[in-house]
Amino acid sequence: MPEGKYCFRRPLQTEEDILHLLSDTRGTNYYKEMEELEVDTEALKKRLDATCKSRLRTWLDICARCGLCADSCFLYRVNDRNPEQVPSYKVQTTLGEIVRKNGNVDTKFMLHAMEVCWSRCTCCSRCAQYCPHGIDMGQMISYTRGLLYSQGFVPWELKIGSGMHRVYRAQMDVTEEDWVETCEWMAEENEEEYPGLTIPVDVENADIMYTCNAREPKHYPEDVAEAAILFHIAGENWTVPSSGWEQTALCMFAGDWEACKMQVQNVYDAIERLKPKRVVGTECGHAHRASVIEGPYWCGRPDGKPPAPYIHYVEWVAEALRTGKLKIDPAKRIKEPVTLQDSCNYVRNYGLSEITREIISYIVEPGYFVEMAPNKDYNYCCGGGGGFNGVGRYRAQRNKALKTKRDQILATGCKLVIAPCHNCWDAIRDLEEEFEIGIRWTFLKPLLLKMVVIPEHLRPAEEEE
Amino acid sequence: MYEFLTGPMLWVTFTVFIVGCIWRVVRYVRGLSWQLDRVAYRPHFALGARHALKSVFYWLVPFGSRSWREKPGMTILFFAFHIGIVFVPLFLEAHAVVAKQRLGIAWPSMPAGLADGLTIAMLVAGAGLVIRRLALPEVRIITTGYDYLLLAITMAPFVTGLACRMDLPGAEGWLLAHLVTGHLMLLAIPFTKLSHMVLYFCSRAQLGMDFGIKRGGERGRGIVW
């Protein structure tokens, strides 16, 4: 079968496309059809010629097969040191094979490669730090995902997710109207407690333009409200764009590079339209990676930077605490053992490990902060990165992957975990559901709101009497 | 035969080896693409170069990287193997003599005892690497015949060289074998995975630039790869 009714090579381009695929519950027919989806070897070969350049080819060529990457991979460790989970093996048996055969691979191989790329690697790039030759296997798997996506071999949820970005410029069907309404609703909802609270939409030349993760307006709008309240308390001159507010990219997990460009260009257009001094992104790791670290390259920005300085939420929080824009009530600081999850995407892959610890120094009573081991740049993936959290087909593998973080948290003895990343937050929630170790997990925003000092002039009138 | 292998063939081998290595490096650098690799190499060249050098350096120092520190056994095997393979051929007294006699180049040399020690250490380490490949499942699964062939190609000149040095019976045969295997190793470098002799510096520097320019070099503390 060249292509099926549900499973085909072309990306989802319209709302009907998305609804059609969504109607196939859990992708039952999609995966059945995939068993017979033909590989367009000519197209695959062309893609290799155009995009597989010296860096990747050299990496494949000179891999010394020394196995030093094995122990760096949490999936290898958590799967009872199964040699098939050695990063080098995973790459050599997928991308290595495609390159060796110059694209001449069959459906069975592609199904296997899909399983490896989405259930045995979260593209956390920890292995890159352990390879003497500097081979980054996370990037190679990510590249392989692009090849697989172009041939239609991609998990059902990620095919839909990247379709969402193409159609709505958001990972979920949140339209511009939905977004602006949510902002208005959240401002109204909280303005009694915080007089003067607004969520200003499309204000030009603001100091800050705020962008978030579509899950927030869709599933936890209080996160949007909390961001607004904290900006309000800090006295920031800020705004949100009506369009270009969503900074995540499930299409990055899917390997749909075309959609990645469409998605991030929308955010950059908002920056260019509103001309803020800088942009603050929400507590999300992959969103930061998509819009700040990789995005500029998708859009062909030669300096590798977004159109305006674009910082992660932890950078804004640290700065607000440092400069006194946000003041913490010392009596309300955390006085229980607490640990911190370092997100791969903005710590290992963006260098923000120290700044998160600076935040800790303001909000945790000295002596209560416990580091995970390993930590910072060497921390392990939460277990659900790279799209792993969202793929139903690989739920069993994902649940097993969560054990690494479970054991790291258990070793700290803490019952509270600060996770300023949506994906890590989700994974930690899931690990508690799965293993019931009795922990709580939190973003920074609700924590800060509980302990921040509200300046006199921003308090409700009754309180002043 | 000896005359040929230490005369005209030496020039051929050196030329192929050097030109081949340069070609590999040029091809690597020319094949880099800032947009496909997603690293803005040029606009942040100074930052990138600093981290490239740092990355290359820390991996060349025994126990310099976290990876080396976490696997001390491998680190010792690795450095014993590579120190021997790089320094013995370059600074062996007998080689300096040949360079002087046949090529007319004055070349420094190391004490014979040191060369012996490094050679033996290199061969022991090589055997250790073979055993490691066979013994550890995580290495065995990625090892192919090619990996053993390359180990054989690199160790052969040292085995035969040591046989010459120890005056084993059949001296002339050992010397010829040493010359043939030595030529073979040099010729293999540009065409096989042994090209990592130069490509290591490229790949390592590239990742140093990647982490330096894009992934935290500006913000993080300490070593970034």
Side-chain angles (χ1 to χ4, degrees):
Chain A
M1 181 183 64
E3 294 192 86
K5 256 174 71 192
Y6 296 95
C7 191
F8 38 75
R9 284 189 281 276
R10 103 188 133 75
L12 307 184
Q13 303 277 26
T14 63
E15 193 163 38
E16 294 73 62
D17 274 349
I18 293 174
L19 291 174
H20 174 63
L21 204 49
L22 273 171
S23 72
D24 178 27
T25 316
R26 285 190 289 275
T28 320
N29 294 308
Y30 176 84
Y31 288 121
K32 210 180 285 165
E33 289 179 1
M34 194 186 280
E35 305 276 333
E36 290 171 47
L37 179 66
E38 275 173 16
V39 185
D40 181 347
T41 51
E42 265 315 298
L44 191 54
K45 181 181 175 314
K46 263 193 204 145
R47 208 180 174 87
L48 279 177
D49 288 343
T51 60
C52 193
K53 300 293 182 190
S54 71
R55 184 177 70 152
L56 290 175
R57 286 184 191 269
T58 304
W59 278 349
L60 286 172
D61 269 1
I62 67 171
C63 170
R65 316 289 182 114
C66 68
L68 280 178
C69 52
D71 274 321
S72 73
C73 179
F74 78 104
L75 284 163
Y76 165 75
R77 298 167 77 111
V78 87
N79 283 292
D80 313 311
R81 305 174 68 85
N82 177 355
E84 290 186 3
Q85 290 275 2
V86 173
S88 167
Y89 181 81
K90 292 186 264 200
V91 168
Q92 293 292 346
T93 52
T94 54
L95 182 60
E97 198 66 8
I98 297 176
V99 169
R100 267 188 296 279
K101 293 189 171 161
N102 205 7
N104 220 346
V105 289
D106 60 12
T107 304
K108 197 166 158 249
F109 170 85
M110 295 296 261
L111 284 163
H112 165 75
M114 178 177 89
E115 198 263 332
V116 173
C117 287
W118 277 284
S119 83
R120 301 190 200 172
C121 177
T122 62
C123 303
C124 79
S125 283
R126 193 172 187 271
C127 48
Q129 296 176 304
Y130 286 84
C131 171
H133 280 153
I135 299 173
D136 188 336
M137 284 150 281
Q139 291 202 16
M140 293 167 97
I141 292 285
S142 179
Y143 172 79
T144 313
R145 287 180 176 193
L147 299 179
L148 292 165
Y149 175 86
S150 71
Q151 293 287 328
F153 293 88
V154 56
W156 179 73
E157 291 87 346
L158 293 175
K159 178 95 178 186
I160 293 169
S162 86
M164 290 281 189
H165 284 287
R166 286 168 173 268
V167 174
Y168 300 102
R169 297 294 185 272
Q171 60 163 288
M172 292 164 173
D173 56 348
V174 183
T175 62
E176 276 178 41
E177 294 78 59
D178 295 340
W179 161 246
V180 173
E181 265 172 36
T182 307
C183 291
E184 285 164 3
W185 168 41
M186 279 297 115
E188 272 168 34
E189 191 84 346
N190 291 282
E191 68 180 349
E192 207 170 311
E193 207 180 333
Y194 299 96
L197 177 75
T198 56
I199 301 185
V201 180
D202 281 340
V203 176
E204 286 184 21
N205 303 308
D207 290 341
I208 289 172
M209 181 181 107
Y210 179 66
T211 57
C212 64
N213 177 326
R215 300 167 62 94
E216 293 166 9
K218 180 86 177 179
H219 293 305
Y220 6 89
E222 62 274 18
D223 195 291
V224 179
E226 287 160 357
I229 295 166
L230 287 164
F231 283 142
H232 176 67
I233 294 172
E236 295 285 15
N237 164 21
W238 70 294
T239 188
V240 292
S242 54
S243 153
W245 52 274
E246 150 74 316
Q247 65 165 131
T248 71
L250 290 188
C251 32
M252 175 171 71
F253 293 157
D256 181 358
W257 309 123
E258 199 185 21
C260 285
K261 180 181 175 179
M262 292 157 97
Q263 173 61 45
V264 78
Q265 190 61 55
N266 201 37
V267 180
Y268 291 175
D269 287 347
I271 299 175
E272 271 153 4
R273 190 174 72 243
L274 300 179
K275 299 179 271 305
K277 288 206 180 65
R278 55 186 183 156
V279 190
V280 177
T282 190
E283 293 175 70
C284 184
H286 102 268
H288 188 73
R289 186 165 190 163
S291 48
V292 183
I293 311 175
E294 312 285 1
Y297 298 94
W298 297 333
C299 290
R301 300 184 61 85
D303 66 348
K305 306 269 187 202
Y310 203 140
I311 62 176
H312 190 273
Y313 202 71
V314 295
E315 294 181 274
W316 178 77
V317 170
E319 179 197 284
L321 291 167
R322 194 187 309 138
T323 55
K325 280 183 187 171
L326 291 178
K327 287 195 180 66
I328 299 297
D329 179 349
K332 293 181 181 164
R333 299 217 290 192
I334 299 172
K335 292 181 191 61
E336 66 165 293
V338 57
T339 189
L340 171 72
Q341 164 63 5
D342 287 309
S343 148
C344 304
N345 280 332
Y346 69 80
V347 175
R348 171 161 41 257
N349 288 308
Y350 198 64
L352 295 185
S353 63
E354 298 302 330
I355 220 146
T356 46
R357 279 151 185 86
E358 185 185 349
I359 297 171
I360 294 289
S361 75
Y362 294 106
I363 65 173
V364 178
E365 192 75 7
Y368 288 98
F369 176 53
V370 189
E371 290 276 12
M372 284 186 201
N375 63 351
K376 299 185 183 175
D377 294 344
Y378 291 94
N379 196 19
Y380 290 120
C381 168
C382 58
F388 212 0
N389 266 346
V391 180
R393 186 178 170 93
Y394 303 130
R395 184 43 50 97
Q397 293 93 315
R398 199 289 310 256
N399 286 349
K400 193 161 192 190
L402 297 175
K403 285 182 178 173
T404 303
K405 196 52 61 185
R406 175 198 67 182
D407 294 345
Q408 273 188 293
I409 294 171
L410 281 173
T412 64
C414 299
K415 294 290 173 204
L416 179 61
V417 186
I418 301 176
C421 167
H422 268 274
N423 203 77
C424 301
W425 190 97
D426 284 355
I428 292 166
R429 176 201 58 204
D430 288 359
L431 82 85
E432 174 57 29
E433 250 175 43
E434 182 74 11
F435 302 107
E436 297 182 7
I437 58 173
I439 53 165
R440 290 165 287 123
W441 56 98
T442 179
F443 284 115
L444 281 170
K445 296 182 196 103
L447 259 191
L448 288 164
L449 269 183
K450 269 189 250 167
M451 55 180 88
V452 73
V453 178
I454 299 168
E456 199 92 12
H457 68 282
L458 293 180
R459 291 180 197 164
E462 327 60 282
E463 237 182 65
E464 285 174 6
E465 283 167 16
Chain B
M1 191 68 177
Y2 175 84
E3 296 292 313
F4 172 71
L5 287 173
T6 55
M9 190 59 199
L10 207 54
W11 288 107
V12 172
T13 299
F14 279 160
T15 308
V16 171
F17 164 65
I18 291 167
V19 173
C21 285
I22 293 171
W23 170 71
R24 293 293 304 236
V25 173
V26 169
R27 205 171 63 146
Y28 181 88
V29 176
R30 285 170 57 109
L32 290 176
S33 154
W34 69 270
Q35 207 167 344
L36 287 172
D37 302 342
R38 300 188 200 138
V39 188
Y41 300 113
R42 275 175 209 274
H44 307 285
F45 191 78
L47 182 68
R50 197 162 75 237
H51 283 95
L53 288 174
K54 204 169 160 181
S55 194
V56 168
F57 175 77
Y58 278 100
W59 284 87
L60 285 181
V61 174
F63 305 102
S65 71
R66 184 168 172 129
S67 194
W68 289 144
R69 287 191 293 276
E70 284 187 11
K71 299 281 176 202
M74 173 60 180
T75 305
I76 291 165
L77 291 182
F78 174 92
F79 280 97
F81 189 79
H82 281 88
I83 288 171
I85 213 168
V86 171
F87 290 101
V88 174
L90 265 180
F91 300 114
L92 188 79
E93 207 177 351
H95 288 182
V97 171
V98 174
K100 182 81 195 148
Q101 283 177 351
R102 312 284 304 178
L103 308 175
I105 303 167
W107 196 257
S109 63
M110 64 166 82
L114 180 62
D116 291 345
L118 290 179
T119 304
I120 290 161
M122 182 271 181
L123 289 173
V124 171
L129 289 172
V130 171
I131 293 167
R132 182 177 174 275
R133 283 199 183 278
L134 293 167
L136 301 181
E138 74 268 28
V139 194
R140 197 165 58 228
I141 193 169
I142 45 181
T143 300
T144 61
Y146 182 47
D147 298 292
Y148 292 116
L149 176 69
L150 290 180
L151 274 167
I153 288 177
T154 48
M155 287 167 73
F158 289 79
V159 173
T160 49
L162 198 65
C164 295
R165 162 89 177 138
M166 286 159 63
D167 275 333
L168 290 189
E172 209 161 308
W174 284 116
L175 184 59
L176 276 182
H178 177 65
L179 285 166
V180 169
T181 54
H183 279 280
L184 193 65
M185 181 179 88
L186 285 172
L187 289 171
I189 289 173
F191 303 103
T192 64
K193 205 187 280 188
L194 296 177
S195 56
H196 75 260
M197 178 183 161
V198 285
L199 290 177
Y200 157 80
F201 293 92
C202 299
S203 174
R204 189 78 253 166
Q206 194 284 326
L207 200 74
M209 290 189 102
D210 185 337
F211 272 89
I213 291 169
K214 172 167 101 166
R215 298 204 252 170
E218 280 177 304
R219 291 159 294 273
R221 271 194 225 156
I223 296 160
V224 286
W225 308 122

